[in-house]
Amino acid sequence: MKKARINPQITTYVDRLLQGKTLLPESPENLIEVVGVLASYGIVLDAYSKNLIFIADQQFLVLFPIFKYFNGEINPSKILRYFWHDRINYEYAEYCMRTMLWHGGGGLDTYLDSDVFLTRCRAAIAAKVRGNLLMRSLNRLFPDFLPEQVRQLAYYSALGQFWRIMSDMFNDLADKYDQGKIQSIGQVVEHIKAGLVADAATPITYAVNIDGQRYELIPDSAGLTFLPDTAIPYVETIFFRGTPFFGTVSYNAQAQQISPDQSRFDYGALYADPIPIGGAGIPPTMLMQDMRHYVPDYLHQLYQQTPRGEADIRVQLCQSFQKSMFCVTNAALNGLLPFPKETDNPEEQTANRKFLSEWVERLMDSRLDVVQIV
Amino acid sequence: MLSALLWIPLLGALIIALWPSPLSSTRVRVGALVTLAITLGWTLYLVGQFDVHNPEFQFSEYWPWLQSLGLSYRLGLDGLSLPLVCVNSGLGLVAVYSSADTVHRPRLYYSLLLIISSAVAGAFLAQNLLLFFLFYELELIPLYLLIAIWGGAQRGYAATKFLIYTALSGVLILSAFLGLVWLSGAASFDYSSTLAQGLPLAQQVLLLGALLVGFGIKVPLFPFHTWLPDAHVEASTPVSVLLAGVLLKLGTYGLVRFCLGLFPTAWLALAPWLAGWAVVSVLYGSLAAIAQTDMKKMVAYSSVGHMGYILLACAAASPLSVIGTVFQMVSHGLISALMFLLVGVVYKKTGTRDLTILRGLLSPERGLPLIGSLMVLGAMASAGIPGMVGFISEFFVFRGSFVVFAPQTLLCMIGSGLTAVYFLLLVNRAFFGRLTITAEPPEPPIDPMLPEVSWRDRVPALALVALIIAFGLQPGWLTRWIEASSFQFVEPPQITAVAPPALLTDPPTPPRR
């Protein structure tokens, strides 16, 4: 049988990764872009994380959560600022959460479909609907509706906890850069990898208080942890798969423009086109809009040197963000390598190469080739 | 009073050209701007003083210049020339404003622009046939130089072609004027609508034919149009603005003032043929525009099509259609100037006007979103979308012509539909999709970045858009100046046949039964 030929570009990238080099080329501009954008992303993630956890904890089965973005602080000036749209676009966080819920994957997804969860979930629902005729009727008429809402709230909490860790990691990265401890893309990747590994076993749990009683929906005993149950599904969902809707391009499902196989979707952050084409309410644009408020001075200076200055800052932020996400992907791949990359064992080397080849092959249609242009 | 419209820009041109010490390009530009701003101010003052109920020439000036030749310096302003004088003053200012700071040989460049403004104003105001001819010819050389010196790669060819065509146009017009005066035995070349009354129809038709070809070249109408796309493509943006917005109007003005005005009987005899000519011109211009891949050529061919509407309305010679001719002149002046300004910005920022290359210019942040939006608006105005001046002018033209030449009007209306076709093709090709400015998509797909558009590039276009919408919503602001004078060009029997009562100064009382 004839062996399938491997794309030489894949081999090049795999070799590069095995040699300890990075997917994103080393350059002073790339370093400023990546660290600068992650610094602002860290601040935004902090806000997203707090809000997701607030919604999961405090807006539990609130059918009309009109003040869910207020984090419990409701006053006229905040309402006015909200309508003036002087606020963080928390919708983006929800968009990511729903995308994760839709694609599933990881231990969280499996756990939420288990009977153990359903039992815990029904107990919490029973407590919540007690004394509420509307909710009780709703639950009787549509018994799957409220459990599905709780599953979604579990994702709110899980993503909030994931981003809490990532936010701290990026803020720490920015601090180290300011102290002169980060001077290359390789060090950025290493910092992220170290963070992922350090927090790999951090438990992901979720509990709510109803009438003074604590209901553990994802207990410690479920064994869900940061890396396999939130980080990997997040990378798969947000970086790779994404969604063919909510984007700037209209896809025609009838014309077979969308793969019927969800696992083959490639609409994620690593594939996104930063050039907007006039769509409205685009989630990535919302993220860039949020990040632009927290761009550090050194990144501002870099953007100001471009022909359009900062008039196209959201596009530039998107480009920088994409570069940074390749660094995060790079760190995740390094962290997930089945064997140490320095191994001399040929079988382990082959296993490493196979692991990386499969991932890099998926990156062949991404913007990896574009970010190579320094 | 009217002389000021000629002499202010001419004086400005002389001062700029003869200033003893060296002047920077910016200073010369400011000088030209001030000159034309004063001219525009004076024009608006005249508008304020103009009696809309008086159909005759107003603010008349007379000076017997060369009586032996029958040449007199006789100027006058009526409802036909007033809007065109305003357009000339306004677009002259726009042309100077949108000229680059770094233009080389600025003193010559701005002097020529000012001379054109002066000459065109003179042509619109002249009430002596020879004086009109002098002004008509006076704008020829500056425009030739503007194309030949500051034009594109093929500027020599385009400028020479323009010169030959327009010179031939001048010869034909002069021949017709000479023939008219000699055959009629008039003592001077002073304009009078009764000049040709005593001539046999054959002589009238012959003289009118010469004028029609002469002005047909200037308008331009098919098949005399071939100089226009070349001239536009090679001319710089400000010159294209003047050419499309003002200079072509000399041809259409000539059709109304001298062809219809001097030879009403012969005109009536030829009218069905002229309406047919209009149809051919409209359809040819529109279909040719569809086939273009150069944005500027597309807009140029659209001019050929839209000028055909004026011939149709002129041929119908009903009260409404004559108002339509003037309205269409103003409308086309504003819309085509806007389109050329926008195409100019696209060219300046991308380095190309090729519709096979440009994509996604509406892209926010990196593209030209405001320019693209204005282009969509210009396309809508040109296609006659209600709420804009293009709709009103086409409505006047078609409504006024339909009762006289129904089949020809219907065929011309197809041209209006075709306008939407070619401008939507332009907008769809160049402005929608992902931002790209290369023929072949680059591999890997780089993210293009266009230079930012300054407010200086946007302001003239926004001003034109404001006028396009204002006259579209309030056409009465324009028709009130035209109405009284336009009836001078209409045969009495046709007035009652086609004019809606609202447009007559004294509506007839309906008979009691």
Side-chain angles (χ1 to χ4, degrees):
Chain A
M1 204 174 127
K2 205 172 176 181
K3 240 181 153 179
R5 208 177 181 151
I6 298 174
N7 183 342
Q9 262 197 305
I10 297 175
T11 315
T12 310
Y13 284 119
V14 170
D15 287 345
R16 200 202 282 187
L17 288 171
L18 287 173
Q19 287 161 12
K21 293 179 183 167
T22 53
L23 283 176
L24 183 71
E26 288 282 2
S27 77
E29 289 79 15
N30 275 352
L31 181 65
I32 293 172
E33 282 188 61
V34 167
V35 176
V37 88
L38 286 180
S40 61
Y41 189 47
I43 297 168
V44 173
L45 280 191
D46 176 59
Y48 289 164
S49 162
K50 283 176 181 159
N51 183 245
L52 287 172
I53 291 170
F54 167 78
I55 292 172
D57 293 350
Q58 307 296 321
Q59 304 284 302
F60 184 75
L61 293 184
V62 176
L63 282 189
F64 302 103
I66 50 174
F67 291 115
K68 63 179 175 180
Y69 298 143
F70 285 71
N71 289 341
E73 189 195 334
I74 304 164
N75 56 53
S77 80
K78 201 163 181 186
I79 292 172
L80 203 65
R81 282 204 346 253
Y82 180 88
F83 285 120
W84 190 248
H85 213 93
D86 178 18
R87 66 184 179 90
I88 295 277
N89 289 293
Y90 295 113
E91 291 89 339
Y92 176 75
E94 289 189 307
Y95 161 79
C96 289
M97 179 277 300
R98 287 204 185 91
T99 311
M100 281 185 79
L101 172 69
W102 187 52
H103 282 293
L108 178 62
D109 188 39
T110 313
Y111 171 74
L112 293 179
D113 284 335
S114 69
D115 290 338
V116 179
F117 169 74
L118 202 59
T119 308
R120 288 174 175 274
C121 176
R122 292 220 184 276
I125 290 170
K128 184 74 185 176
V129 303
R130 197 179 302 136
N132 187 331
L133 188 64
L134 177 70
M135 291 281 277
R136 217 162 50 201
S137 311
L138 188 69
N139 194 34
R140 288 249 173 91
L141 280 170
F142 306 102
D144 293 335
F145 177 69
L146 292 183
E148 192 60 21
Q149 289 295 309
V150 178
R151 283 191 188 98
Q152 181 172 286
L153 287 162
Y155 264 97
Y156 267 99
S157 178
L159 181 58
Q161 292 171 65
F162 168 69
W163 271 347
R164 172 77 272 128
I165 291 169
M166 296 306 285
S167 166
D168 294 342
M169 189 193 297
F170 294 145
N171 289 335
D172 188 32
L173 173 79
D175 290 344
K176 280 187 175 172
Y177 177 79
D178 292 341
Q179 293 157 14
K181 292 178 185 169
I182 297 282
Q183 291 179 338
S184 70
I185 295 291
Q187 287 174 319
V188 172
V189 171
E190 197 49 46
H191 173 87
I192 298 169
K193 188 193 129 186
L196 292 173
V197 171
D199 280 303
T202 303
I204 300 293
T205 59
Y206 176 37
V208 288
N209 284 312
I210 303 167
D211 298 333
Q213 175 81 32
R214 184 175 169 83
Y215 293 86
E216 294 205 338
L217 293 159
I218 305 177
D220 243 348
S221 57
L224 300 181
T225 52
F226 167 77
L227 188 66
D229 302 314
T230 55
I232 295 174
Y234 180 84
V235 169
E236 173 71 28
T237 297
I238 305 300
F239 288 13
F240 283 87
R241 294 192 193 179
T243 52
F245 26 85
F246 295 127
T248 54
V249 180
S250 296
Y251 293 99
N252 184 345
Q254 280 77 25
Q256 309 287 316
Q257 288 175 352
I258 297 173
S259 167
D261 179 4
Q262 207 171 316
S263 69
R264 281 162 51 198
F265 275 21
D266 55 1
Y267 309 106
L270 302 179
Y271 301 81
D273 185 350
I275 301 284
I277 58 165
I282 311 144
T285 310
M286 289 157 72
L287 172 62
M288 308 317 150
Q289 178 69 25
D290 288 340
M291 286 200 293
R292 68 181 298 182
H293 299 299
Y294 307 104
V295 174
D297 290 342
Y298 49 86
L299 189 55
H300 270 303
Q301 283 168 14
L302 186 73
Y303 289 163
Q304 278 158 8
Q305 288 163 17
T306 57
R308 237 175 153 145
E310 292 200 307
D312 61 341
I313 189 167
R314 280 170 293 206
V315 174
Q316 298 198 64
L317 277 171
C318 191
Q319 289 170 323
S320 304
F321 179 69
Q322 208 158 35
K323 288 180 178 178
S324 72
M325 290 303 109
F326 276 108
C327 291
V328 176
T329 307
N330 194 158
L333 292 180
N334 288 355
L336 293 170
L337 265 182
F339 302 101
K341 60 174 178 280
E342 300 82 12
T343 180
D344 294 329
N345 184 333
E347 279 183 13
E348 290 179 359
Q349 283 178 341
T350 307
N352 277 349
R353 186 167 283 279
K354 186 170 178 293
F355 170 82
L356 288 175
S357 296
E358 284 170 5
W359 281 101
V360 171
E361 189 177 1
R362 293 183 69 187
L363 290 175
M364 282 297 99
D365 292 329
S366 73
R367 301 249 310 169
L368 182 59
D369 53 352
V370 180
V371 299
Q372 299 308 309
I373 305 166
V374 181
Chain B
M1 289 173 93
L2 294 179
S3 289
L5 297 178
L6 279 66
W7 292 105
I8 293 172
L10 205 58
L11 196 66
L14 283 172
I15 292 171
I16 286 172
L18 304 175
W19 194 262
S21 57
L23 288 171
S24 69
S25 179
T26 311
R27 282 196 169 185
V28 179
R29 179 171 168 273
V30 170
L33 272 176
V34 169
T35 307
L36 286 176
I38 295 168
T39 313
L40 181 62
W42 188 252
T43 308
L44 294 176
Y45 172 74
L46 290 176
V47 169
Q49 300 295 310
F50 190 82
D51 177 6
V52 292
H53 303 295
N54 181 3
E56 302 298 330
F57 291 109
Q58 298 177 37
F59 316 113
S60 293
E61 291 178 21
Y62 177 74
W63 178 60
W65 187 0
L66 280 171
Q67 278 184 317
S68 54
L69 283 180
L71 172 63
S72 62
Y73 180 81
R74 184 187 288 274
L75 303 179
L77 188 69
D78 67 352
L80 173 62
S81 46
L82 177 73
L84 298 174
V85 168
C86 292
V87 169
N88 176 47
S89 301
L91 291 185
L93 195 65
V94 166
V96 171
Y97 184 83
S98 53
S99 294
D101 268 334
T102 52
V103 66
H104 67 279
R105 303 172 76 178
R107 291 163 74 143
L108 179 60
Y109 175 83
Y110 288 107
S111 300
L112 293 175
L113 284 181
L114 291 172
I115 292 171
I116 287 182
S117 179
S118 167
V120 172
F124 286 142
L125 297 172
Q127 297 312 313
N128 180 285
L129 302 184
L130 268 186
L131 188 67
F132 169 83
F133 173 76
L134 285 179
F135 285 124
Y136 185 86
E137 290 290 291
L138 183 60
E139 52 81 21
L140 178 65
I141 300 301
L143 194 67
Y144 165 79
L145 292 173
L146 283 168
I147 298 172
I149 299 174
W150 291 273
Q154 301 290 315
R155 56 186 183 272
Y157 168 77
T160 309
K161 194 171 179 181
F162 161 77
L163 187 69
I164 293 170
Y165 269 75
T166 319
L168 180 64
S169 153
V171 169
L172 287 167
I173 292 167
L174 180 64
S175 311
F177 286 165
L178 290 174
L180 175 63
V181 171
W182 289 340
L183 290 172
S184 64
S188 78
F189 284 88
D190 285 350
Y191 179 84
S192 163
S193 56
T194 56
L195 265 177
Q197 259 183 359
L199 296 181
L201 184 62
Q203 285 182 4
Q204 283 194 38
V205 168
L206 188 70
L207 295 170
L208 177 60
L211 278 182
L212 278 171
V213 175
F215 288 122
I217 291 171
K218 190 74 180 178
V219 172
L221 294 165
F222 176 86
F224 310 116
H225 64 280
T226 61
W227 64 270
L228 183 72
D230 289 325
H232 269 308
V233 167
E234 298 308 324
S236 61
T237 298
V239 176
S240 275
V241 167
L242 277 185
L243 184 59
V246 179
L247 296 167
L248 303 189
K249 306 303 171 291
L250 284 175
T252 48
Y253 171 79
L255 285 180
V256 182
R257 173 76 74 204
F258 301 109
C259 296
L260 176 61
L262 290 176
F263 303 96
T265 315
W267 184 268
L268 202 61
L270 293 182
W273 296 97
L274 297 176
W277 189 11
V279 170
V280 173
S281 214
V282 166
L283 293 182
Y284 176 84
S286 305
L287 292 171
I290 290 174
Q292 302 309 312
T293 54
D294 183 318
M295 290 170 91
K296 222 174 178 187
K297 257 190 177 171
M298 189 179 270
V299 182
Y301 273 107
S302 88
S303 284
V304 176
H306 283 221
M307 291 290 100
Y309 297 151
I310 296 178
L311 181 60
L312 173 77
C314 227
S318 69
L320 200 56
S321 76
V322 173
I323 291 175
T325 59
V326 186
F327 217 106
Q328 174 68 5
M329 285 186 227
V330 176
S331 159
H332 179 266
L334 297 175
I335 296 171
S336 62
L338 171 70
M339 297 301 267
F340 279 115
L341 274 176
L342 298 175
V343 171
V345 176
V346 169
Y347 185 66
K348 190 167 144 189
K349 300 298 170 190
T350 64
T352 180
R353 299 183 302 257
D354 193 335
L355 290 171
T356 62
I357 288 176
L358 294 168
R359 290 277 180 286
L361 295 179
L362 259 177
S363 174
E365 313 246 341
R366 285 268 166 115
L368 313 169
L370 183 62
I371 297 299
S373 306
L374 295 178
M375 185 67 98
V376 172
L377 203 136
M380 287 164 67
S382 192
I385 301 293
M388 283 172 276
V389 70
F391 170 77
I392 305 295
S393 62
E394 288 182 22
F395 183 82
F396 276 141
V397 168
F398 296 143
R399 176 70 184 82
S401 308
F402 185 78
V403 279
V404 186
F405 299 117
Q408 291 92 329
T409 305
L410 289 173
L411 285 167
C412 281
M413 287 167 83
I414 294 174
S416 195
L418 292 175
T419 305
V421 172
Y422 57 74
F423 276 139
L424 284 179
L425 279 174
L426 181 149
V427 168
N428 193 38
R429 283 177 188 167
F431 289 91
F432 291 127
R434 189 189 192 269
L435 180 63
T436 314
I437 42 172
T438 49
E440 293 294 324
E443 200 54 53
I446 53 160
D447 302 329
M449 182 190 292
L450 298 179
E452 200 173 1
V453 179
S454 65
W455 276 104
R456 187 170 145 182
D457 287 329
R458 292 171 180 153
V459 164
L462 286 170
L464 290 174
V465 164
L467 288 173
I468 286 168
I469 293 175
F471 288 136
L473 295 175
Q474 280 295 341
W477 291 348
L478 189 53
T479 50
R480 65 191 296 261
W481 311 102
I482 309 167
E483 217 171 316
S485 297
S486 69
F487 294 151
Q488 300 288 305
F489 296 92
V490 182
E491 286 292 296
Q494 288 177 316
I495 294 174
T496 49
V498 293
L503 287 162
L504 297 172
T505 39
D506 296 304
T509 315
R512 289 178 183 276
R513 295 192 177 182

